[in-house]
Amino acid sequence: MWKKSKVTDQTATGQGGPSEAEQEEEKKAGIKKRSKVPGVMITQFIEVLPEGKSTPDFLRKPIALTIQEGKLAIFKANVCGDPKPEVTWGRAKGDMSDRERFQKKYDEATGEYTLEIHRVSGEEADTYKCYAINEYGKAICTAALNVIEVGFKKKRAMEQLEDIGSVDPAEFRKLLRKRKGVDKQEAVKEPGEIDERFWEIIMSADRKDYERICAEFGVKDFRVMLKKLSEKKKERQEEQAKYIETINNLKHIDIKGVGIASFEFDLELKDPASRIFLYKDGVMIPYSDEEEMKHSLKTVGKKLIFSVRDLKAEDAGLYQVDVEEVNLFSTDFRIPTVDFIVKIQEVKAKEREDAMFECVLSHPWPRIKWMGKNATLEEGEKYTITVSEDKLIHRLLIKDCSQLDKGIYSAAAGIKTCSAWLIVEADSDPASHGKKKTRKTTQAGGTGLDLGKLAQEQQEKLAKERQEQIDAANKARAEEERLAREALLAPPPDTGDGDSGEDGDSGEGKDTGDGKNKSKSGSNKSKDVGKSVGESVGKSVGESIGKSVGKSVGESIGKSVGKSVGEMKDSEKEGDDKKNKKSTDDSDKVCKIKDAEKERDDKNKKSTDDSDKGKDPNGQSGTGETEEYTDASGKRSECTRQGPLLKDTVIDPNAQSGTGETEEYTDASGKRSERTRQGPLLKDTVIDPGVQFVSGLSNVHALIGQPAELMCKLSSDNCEGAWYRDSKKLTADDGHIMSRDGASHKLVINRCQEEDSGKYRFEADGRKTEAMLNVEDPPRFDPDDLSAFCQPVIVKVGNSTTFKLPFVGREPMKIQWYRKGEELLDDNTTKIEKSFTQSRLLLSKCQRKDTGEIKIKLKNEHGTMEAISRLIVLDKPTPPQGPVEVLESTASCIHIKWRAPKDDGGCPVINYNLERQQVGRNTWKKLGDIPGVPEYKDNDVEHGRKYCYRIRVVTEEGVSDMMETDDLTAGTLAFPSSPAPPKVASAFNNCINLTWSTPTDTGGSRILGYNLEKRKKGSNLWSPVNPTDEPIQEKKRAVTDVVAGNEYEFRVYAINVSGLSEPSSPSEFIFAKDPKNPPGKVEDLKVADTSYTALSLSWNKPTEEVGVQDEAKGYFIEVRQAECIDWTRCNVTPIILTTFTVKSLKAMAMYWVRVIAINDGGEGVPQDLDNYILAMPPPVRPCFTDNKMKSFVVVRAGNSVRILLNFEASPWPEVTWLKDDVPLLKRVNISNSESSSQLLITSSERSDSGIYTIVVKNLVGQESFSVEVRVTDDPKPPGPVELEENVPSTVTVIWEPSPDEKRDDHLHYSVSKRDSTKGSWSTVADRLFNNKFTACNIMPGREYHFRVYAKNDMGMSAPSESPTWGSERRKDKFVVNMPAYKTCDLRTAPAFLVPLRQHTAPKGYECYMSCAIKGNPKPRVTWYRNNISLNTNTNYLITNICGVCSLLILRVTPKDWGEYNIQIESALGRAESSTKLTVRE
C-alpha cells in the first residue's frame, strides 16, 4: 500500500524553478506585445520605451520548408527596431556548430538575414528559431524544416530495431501511449488563451458577424471579448493616426467574377509616399498595379481595390494590408468546396420561345451567379432564376427569346464555373418576315436528366457522409472515455512503507542493466521497490515506478485528482465546445461513466457510509470526487468517481500484458505522477446518438385550392412524431392527412387556403425540423371564360367592339391591355374598365389597321397571367399589286399575270373585274369578272394593236380601287433571252444528266421548249442532242449518246412563238464516267506563319482508298471567330495548292480554322486545327536591332534632338520613354511605329540634358536602352587672369571661373603660353578643373604671355589674356613695307547648286528631301508645303549643314501629298526650288 507523506517542494528533480529575484525580474520585464506578423512573439524588457525607440519585430519571418535531402535549405528574415537588433539562429534539437553546413549571412543592401543549410539530411529536420534582440526587447519566430528522405537508410533502420529490441514487449504499448499523450499535451493552449488570428479577423469585421466568428474560434465570454476588443481597436487607431487621415467603406474579400476575388476600402494617407504592404497568412506577397498580375492594386481616387486573379484552393487565407508597420485591414478568405455535378448544356430555341439552363451542385448553395455575355443577370421580367428547396438544383429561364439573346451563358459557384451556348433559330416561315410573331408557350433547353433524382442521391450521399463523421466522432469519443477510465480507475502500486519521499525530489529512477533502480535522494525502501520492479518488468517499468514513487509520495492520490478536476473544469468545457460545438452528448457521457463506476463499487462491496464521509478507514479518498483526465487526442474530460479507490496491490513479477501497466498523468499543479492498474479494462460503452433526420422538411409553395405535401425522413423506422403549425399541434382532421411509411413521415393538405400558410414543424424523439408553407393566390382565369375570350372578334370598319374577361386572384391586381404588343391607354377610341373580378376593353370606331393581337395581362405579388385574343376589322380590299407580267403576247392572244392585293380587307378574294381599252380609242370594254386567280388570257386581240387593262378586286366587303396596266402590244416578234449555262447533275460512263433554268426574259410569250447541243473537247463541231422539230419540254435531259472516258460540254436554246433564242454559254467540261467518292481529310494541317492580319496554312493531300475515298481536286478553307458559331469560307472557288494565306483578320482575335477537300464526288470531311489561332505574329521578346546605338549624344542648345531606335517585338509592344526615370514633358515629341520609336525635341534647352530611357514591353518580356543627352553651347571665356611668382623660375596663373562652370559639369580649362622669342602659342596645360596653374622654366630676360580657354563637349571659348610677364631687351624696330593690295568682294547671291527632285514614297515609310545651296552671306532657308511654312512644324525634321538643306518626314501619310518649296534669301537676292511628293498606297 502506498504511504502518503506531505511534499513541501513542488519542483521535480531537474526542473528547478527560478529564484525569487529571477521571478520578480521576469514579472517586471515580461511584457508581451502583438506583432503584425502572425507567429512572432515579442517581449518588451521595460515598461515605457524612450521616444523614438522600439522593440525588435519581424518584417518578414522565415517560412517552413519541405525539401529533398541533399539540397540547399535557406531561411530568410527581415527585422526592424531601434536600436538595430542583433539576429541569431537556433534549433530546438541538436546544435549548429558545424559552420560548413550551417552558414549565417547578412545582406546590407536589402537588410536580409539568411541561414543556409547545405546538403540537408534527415538529421537536420527540426524546428529552427530566429531571435532578434536589442536592449529594449526581443522577438522570436520559428520555422519547421521537413526533409524528404530518398532510399533505404540502413543505419537508421538498425538503430530502430535495436531500440525496439531493448524494450520489453509488455511495455511497448505503454511507451507509445505516453509519447502520444505528451505530444498532444504540448499542443494544448493555456486555459482562456485566444488565437491571435481571431483578433486579426474580428477587428476588421462587422458587428453582425461577431457571433459567427466567436463560434468558429470557440470564444464564449462575450463581455470579456468585447472589452478586450475595444482596447485593441483603440490601440490600433492610435497607431494608424501616425500615417492615416481617414479609412472607411471597408468591404471584405469576395468573389466578384470568374476566377477573381477582391476587397476594397477608402483610404487617405497623411504622407502619399507611405508604403503599402500586403500579407497573406503573415507572409508578404508582391503585388502590381497591372491587372494581369496574380495580385494587383488598383487606385481610383481614394478607393483602393486589391484583386486576386486565377483563384485556386491555396489562395484561401487571412489577407492583411499594412501602411509601413501599422495594420489597416484584415479579411479572411475562404473558398467553398462546391462543384458542378451536372453542368449547363447548350440550348437551341426558336424565336419568342423560352429557354432553360439548369445545373446540379455537389453541395447546397443559396444562389449561384448567372452571367450572359459577360454581364451579371438579375431576376426580372426577362430572366427567372429559381433554386430548389435543397439548394442543389439551380435554373435560369430566359423568356421570349430573340436574336439579341443568343450567346454564351455561364454559371459560377465559388471558383467553379461552367458555360454553354444559347442558339436562337430564326423563324423559317417567309410569310412572317417583318411581322411581330406570336409569343410561344413552349420551352426549350434542359439537360434531359432527372435532376430531382440526382439531387436526392446527392443529398443522401451528403447525409451519409455526415453520419459517417458523427459515427467516427462517437467512436473516437468512446475510445477517449475508455482510456480515461483506465487512467482514473487504476490505483498506484504499493511500495511498502513509503518513507522515500522525505527529500521531495526523488524519483529519477535509473536502470543499470541488471534491474537495479536508483533514486537520487529516495529512502532505502523506495530503492528496494524500484529494484524489485526493475527485475520483474524491465528497465522501462522500473524507471516509471521510480519516478512515481519520488513524485507521488507525500500527497494523497484522491486529493490530487480532486484538486486537478476543480482547477481544470472550465478548461475542459472550453475544449469540448471548440471541437463539438454545442454537443448534447457530454451529459450522457458523464452519466455512463458514473454508472460504470457504481457497478464496479457494488462488485467490490464498498461501504456506503465510508463513501459519504469522503475517506475510508485506511485514509483513501472518498466518493463524489471529480477527476479530470486528458485522452490521447489531447481532449480534456472529467468524470465523477462513485466510490473509493481500489485497494493498492503490489505488482506481480509474473504479470502479463493487460494488467499491471504503469501509466503517467499530470495533476493541476503541473506535477507528474504514475500509478499501476490492477485489473482488466472495463468493457467499452457505445453511446447511442438517438434518432436523427436523414432528410428534413423543405419549403413548399402551393396555389390556393391545390394540394400541398410536406415530407421528412428519420434514421429509425420505429419512431412516432407530431406535426405543428405555428407552434400549434395538428390533428388528422380539417383536410390534414398525416401518414407514415417506415421512416418517412408525410403531411398532406388537400385544398390549401390562405389560413394554411405558416411555419410547419415535425418533432420526434427530441429532434425537430421546420419549413414554411406559402399558399399563393396568383391571377387565374376560368377555362370556359378563357376559351370564349380567345375566339377572334370580327367587326366591320367604323363599328365598335368589346373584350371582357373575368378573373380571380389576390388584390392588389395590376391590369394591362395590349394591342399588337403596345399597351393601351384611355383615349377617344379606347376605354378600359377595371373591377375586382373582371376587366373590359371597349374599342370604338375600329379601323382596318387595328386588326391584330389583343392581350390582357394580370399581375400581383404571387405571379403573372396573360390571355390572348384577336381582333379582325373588315374593310374593302386594296387594289391589285403590279407590275403586270406578260406571260404570252402573240398575234392572237395576250396572257397577263399580276399579284394579289396587299390587304384583302379581312375577306378572301372572290373575283377580279377587268376592263380593256384599245390605245387610240376613248371607250373601255368590260371583260367581266374572272375567278380569284390573278391572271387573264385575252384571245380577242388584233395583230399589232396595243391594249390597256383596268383590274379591280371583288370581295364580300366591296370592290377595290382600280389598277391600270401599261400599253401591251399583240403579235410583236420578241425572242427569249439566252438561258443560263446547263449544269451537270450527274455523270456516268454511258449517260450525263443535265439541268438548266428558264431564261430571264421570255420575249412576252411562253417558252415552247428547248434545244440541246453537245461538243466533244478538242472539236469545233456542235451536234444536236434532240431533233430540232421535237423540242425538249422539261428543263432537264439525260444525254446517252456519249463515249465513256471522253469529255463533253453542252449548250441550250430556248424556243417561244417568235423562234429560237441565242445559245447559252457552254457548260463546264464533264467526263463521261462513273461518279467519284468524296476525298478524305487533309493530312498534317499546320500553321506556317501568322501576323496581325493574316495567317498561312499548309497541309498534305488526303490519302486515296479505292472504293472509299478518291483523289482531291481542290480545297476550301473556312474560318470562324471564337465567339461565333458560323463558318466563313475564305475562297469562292476551290484551290489546287496545298498552301493558303487567310487575310483580313482582326488583330489579336481568336480563330478556328479548317480545310475541306473536294472533288467531283463532293466535299470531304473537314479537318480542323487542334487549337485556336491568335491573329498575331509568333511571340518575340523585345530586342533592339541597331548594331551601333549611341549611348551619348551632345547637342548644341537651340538645335533639335533626335533619337531613333529600331527594335523587333511581337505582339505589338508598349513603348515608354523616361527622362531620369520620370515621365517626359509635353514638349518632347514621341513617334512610335511597329518596329521603331523616335524621340524629337525641336528646339533643345540646357534643361533637356539627362538620361533618356526607352522601355519596350510586351507579353513576352521587356527590354530597355538608355541614351545620355547633353545639351550645351560654346562656353563663355574665363574671367580676368592674374600672374604670381611664388617660386623663382615659375609663374602661377590664376583666373576667375567661367560663368558656365556651375551649370556644366564637363567644363574644364586649357592654358597656352607664348614667349618673346617665339611667335607661336603652345599649350602647357589642358583638362584643368581648377582655376590655377603653375608654369615652370620661366627664363629671365624674356616676356611671357598666357591665355586661358574654357572647354566643354561642344567646343572652346574665346581666350582670356594675361598681362605681360618679364622684360625683353629692346631691339631696333623692324619695318616691313607691305605692297598695296586691291580688296576683293567675295559676296555672292543665293543660288542652288543641286535643286530638289521629284519624290514618290509608300504610305508609312519615311521620305528624305535635300538640295545644295550657296551664298555669301549665308542665306536664310524657308520650307513650304502648299505655300504654308513648315519651319515651325514639329512633324518635319529640317536641317542645314554646310549648305546641304534637308527635310525628313518620318512616316508618310496621304496628308503629306502636295507641292514642297524651298526659298533661300539674303540681302543680295532670293532663289526658289520646288518639287512634288506623291504618296503611294
Side-chain angles (χ1 to χ4, degrees), residues 321-342:
V321 179
D322 290 10
V323 171
E324 299 298 342
E325 69 273 7
V326 176
N327 178 251
L328 293 186
F329 181 59
S330 301
T331 179
D332 192 18
F333 183 37
R334 299 181 180 181
I335 296 179
T337 58
V338 67
D339 200 354
F340 289 91
I341 296 178
V342 178

Side-chain angles (χ1 to χ4, degrees), residues 985-1042:
S986 60
F988 301 92
N989 288 335
N990 56 0
C991 179
I992 297 177
N993 294 312
L994 301 173
T995 61
W996 56 88
S997 59
T998 304
T1000 56
D1001 182 11
T1002 61
S1005 61
R1006 67 184 182 88
I1007 300 298
L1008 302 178
Y1010 301 91
N1011 287 341
L1012 184 65
E1013 293 180 345
K1014 74 175 189 300
R1015 181 174 68 175
K1016 187 170 65 174
K1017 188 174 183 179
S1019 173
N1020 295 326
L1021 180 63
W1022 288 92
S1023 60
V1025 174
N1026 61 298
T1028 56
D1029 56 348
E1030 298 179 3
I1032 302 172
Q1033 300 299 321
E1034 298 179 342
K1035 290 176 289 201
K1036 61 181 180 180
R1037 179 75 174 194
V1039 182
T1040 57
D1041 186 16
V1042 293

Side-chain angles (χ1 to χ4, degrees), residues 367 377-385 396-399 859 864:
R367 182 166 180 174
L377 305 181
E378 300 293 343
E379 179 83 20
E381 294 187 359
K382 183 65 178 178
Y383 305 101
T384 299
I385 300 174
L396 170 66
L397 179 65
I398 306 172
K399 302 176 184 177
K859 183 177 181 181
T864 303

Side-chain angles (χ1 to χ4, degrees), residues 1433-1446:
N1433 194 330
T1434 57
N1435 294 325
Y1436 302 89
L1437 180 61
I1438 299 174
T1439 59
N1440 182 3
I1441 301 174
C1442 299
V1444 177
C1445 301
S1446 62

Side-chain angles (χ1 to χ4, degrees), residues 29-42:
I31 302 176
K32 303 296 184 182
K33 291 185 62 178
R34 181 179 64 86
S35 172
K36 67 178 181 180
V37 179
V40 177
M41 183 176 65
I42 300 177

Side-chain angles (χ1 to χ4, degrees), residues 563-632:
K563 183 179 179 181
S564 172
V565 172
E567 293 178 351
M568 301 181 70
K569 184 175 182 180
D570 294 336
S571 176
E572 177 271 340
K573 291 182 179 179
E574 182 180 354
D576 287 344
D577 289 337
K578 284 184 179 180
K579 293 185 177 180
N580 299 321
K581 291 185 179 179
K582 301 180 181 180
S583 175
T584 60
D585 298 330
D586 293 341
S587 60
D588 297 337
K589 180 182 69 177
V590 174
C591 293
K592 295 285 185 179
I593 298 176
K594 288 182 179 181
D595 294 340
E597 294 287 351
K598 189 172 182 181
E599 291 177 6
R600 184 174 179 275
D601 293 341
D602 293 339
K603 291 181 181 180
N604 293 325
K605 298 180 180 180
K606 294 295 179 180
S607 173
T608 305
D609 295 334
D610 294 339
S611 300
D612 294 336
K613 293 176 182 179
K615 284 189 178 182
D616 64 0
N618 296 325
Q620 292 179 334
S621 177
T623 64
E625 295 182 358
T626 303
E627 298 184 354
E628 183 180 51
Y629 62 92
T630 303
D631 57 17

Side-chain angles (χ1 to χ4, degrees), residues 1314-1377:
R1314 181 177 66 86
D1315 61 13
S1316 57
T1317 61
K1318 299 179 180 179
S1320 61
W1321 291 85
S1322 61
T1323 302
V1324 294
D1326 199 359
R1327 299 195 64 80
L1328 297 175
F1329 289 90
N1330 57 4
N1331 307 114
K1332 183 186 294 186
F1333 172 73
T1334 301
C1336 301
N1337 300 325
I1338 300 300
M1339 304 297 293
R1342 297 182 182 181
E1343 290 183 354
Y1344 292 88
H1345 299 270
F1346 294 91
R1347 286 179 178 176
V1348 181
Y1349 300 87
K1351 291 184 176 180
N1352 62 5
D1353 296 324
M1354 184 55 62
M1356 186 167 55
S1357 69
S1360 293
E1361 299 281 351
S1362 70
T1364 303
W1365 179 265
S1367 60
E1368 183 183 9
R1369 288 177 296 179
R1370 292 188 174 274
K1371 296 182 180 180
D1372 294 337
K1373 186 175 181 181
F1374 181 76
V1375 179
V1376 177
N1377 295 322

Side-chain angles (χ1 to χ4, degrees), residues 29-33 41-45 55-56 136-140:
I31 302 176
K32 303 296 184 182
K33 291 185 62 178
M41 183 176 65
I42 300 177
T43 303
Q44 183 174 317
F45 294 157
T55 58
Y136 300 110
K138 67 176 180 179
I140 305 174

